[in-house]
């Protein structure tokens, strides 16, 4: 709740797509607008086939670097986030 009200450009959440969707719907019932979630990356990390904790860490750091260096680029289609990947946004309906 607090994070989406800050000026932070990158906010990420650990968790499954199902958990993320449930949280979004709960926050919307509390009065948050869908547009406030656009800077959230959840689930966090790029889809690189990571399995081990070290690989998952690399995928998350890669997403953080991409968000900082090239915020409006095609890398977002590799994101596991339901907020940045156009195909996954449909899950929020």
């Amino acid at each position: 709740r607090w994070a989406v009200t800050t000026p932070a450009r990158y906010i990420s959440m650990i968790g499954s797509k199902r958990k993320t969707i449930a949280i979004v719907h709960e926050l919307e019932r509390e009065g948050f607008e869908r547009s406030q979630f656009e800077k959230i990356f959840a689930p966090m990390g790029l889809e690189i086939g990571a399995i081990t904790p070290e690989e998952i860490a690399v995928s998350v750091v890669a997403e953080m670097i991409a968000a900082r260096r090239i915020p409006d680029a095609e890398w977002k289609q590799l994101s596991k986030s339901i907020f940045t990947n156009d195909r996954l946004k449909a899950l929020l309906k």
Side-chain angles (χ1 to χ4, degrees), residues 18-88:
R18 184 172 24 153
K19 180 179 178 182
T20 300
I21 292 166
I23 290 170
V24 166
H25 290 169
E26 175 65 26
L27 292 175
E28 286 178 327
R29 282 191 292 276
E30 292 178 16
F32 286 85
E33 297 292 326
R34 178 74 52 97
S35 62
Q36 291 180 271
F37 306 125
E38 291 176 1
K39 59 185 174 181
I40 296 176
F41 293 81
M44 58 200 260
L46 297 180
E47 187 57 68
I48 62 170
I51 297 172
T52 67
E54 295 85 0
E55 292 170 340
I56 293 167
V58 167
S59 78
V60 172
V61 171
E63 184 176 63
M64 293 168 69
I65 292 169
R68 180 175 183 209
R69 300 285 186 200
I70 44 176
D72 296 321
E74 292 181 16
W75 67 265
K76 290 184 178 182
Q77 294 307 308
L78 294 175
S79 177
K80 294 186 288 184
S81 174
I82 61 174
F83 301 105
T84 59
N85 185 305
D86 293 333
R87 180 179 52 82
L88 297 175

